[in-house]
Amino acid sequence: MTSVLILNGPNLNLLGTRQPEVYGTTTLADIEARCKKHAEAIGTEVEFFQSNHEGVLVDSIHAARGTHDGIILNAGAYTHTSIALMDALASVELPAIELHLSNVHAREDFRHRSYIAKVALGIICGFGADGYLLAMDAMKQHLSG
Ligand code: CA2
């Protein structure tokens, strides 16, 4: 069975508690539950993890090598700044999908730049929590294609 790591970056632990007009009312725990249910439906194993710390996210990407077949990454604001995350993804040579709840291209200019996109298979953004399930489907399709 294919196994996917879903990795979440800084401040995403606050989902559903603040700025609902931007990020919705769904909590990260709700999203995790939806991902686990969807994983069962499509026959995928999933590990779901969040950290506010760049180095912990780098460690998690490294640990995915040999454990998971692909990575779905909502790197939060590190998307726009982190060469370390980009290098970590490139080093493990696993397929990665960049994910965002919001449509980052309809927001501030600084959210238009992504270091993750340079090493990602593709990007899903603007579909809220549903984007996690769309990314799981896209990864499953990629891995079985
Ligand atoms: O849209 C996304 O998923 C983002 O990755 C979310 C990041 C943002 O920096 C990216 O540009 C786009 C921010 C996550 C912050 O989440 C919060 C949740 C509730 C309250 C405050 C922040």
Side-chain angles (χ1 to χ4, degrees):
M1 196 184 283
T2 58
S3 177
V4 176
L5 173 64
I6 302 180
L7 201 50
N8 296 280
N11 298 308
L12 287 161
N13 55 311
L14 298 177
L15 273 184
T17 65
R18 299 191 189 95
Q19 290 182 259
E21 68 286 358
V22 183
Y23 298 114
T25 53
T26 310
T27 66
L28 198 62
D30 293 334
I31 293 176
E32 178 173 3
R34 285 187 68 188
C35 288
K36 295 212 162 141
K37 196 172 167 200
H38 192 60
E40 275 188 36
I42 65 172
T44 299
E45 284 177 3
V46 72
E47 179 187 349
F48 195 95
F49 181 69
Q50 187 273 337
S51 176
N52 292 320
H53 304 279
E54 190 175 17
V56 174
L57 294 166
V58 169
D59 287 343
S60 181
I61 291 168
H62 291 175
R65 186 167 194 173
T67 311
H68 298 291
D69 303 301
I71 300 174
I72 294 169
L73 175 61
N74 184 348
Y78 287 146
T79 304
H80 319 299
T81 62
S82 181
I83 296 168
L85 287 178
M86 177 185 73
D87 285 348
L89 284 172
S91 74
V92 296
E93 296 179 328
L94 288 171
I97 295 176
E98 176 180 338
L99 174 66
H100 300 286
L101 294 153
S102 63
N103 178 357
V104 286
H105 297 288
R107 300 182 65 194
E108 303 95 325
D109 284 354
F110 64 82
R111 295 187 205 277
H112 300 176
R113 181 173 75 175
S114 168
Y115 286 103
I116 306 304
K118 296 179 190 302
V119 291
L121 276 178
I123 303 161
I124 294 173
C125 73
F127 295 99
D130 291 346
Y132 282 78
L133 310 188
L134 296 171
M136 289 173 70
D137 289 342
M139 184 62 80
K140 171 92 184 174
Q141 182 74 28
H142 175 78
L143 292 172
S144 57

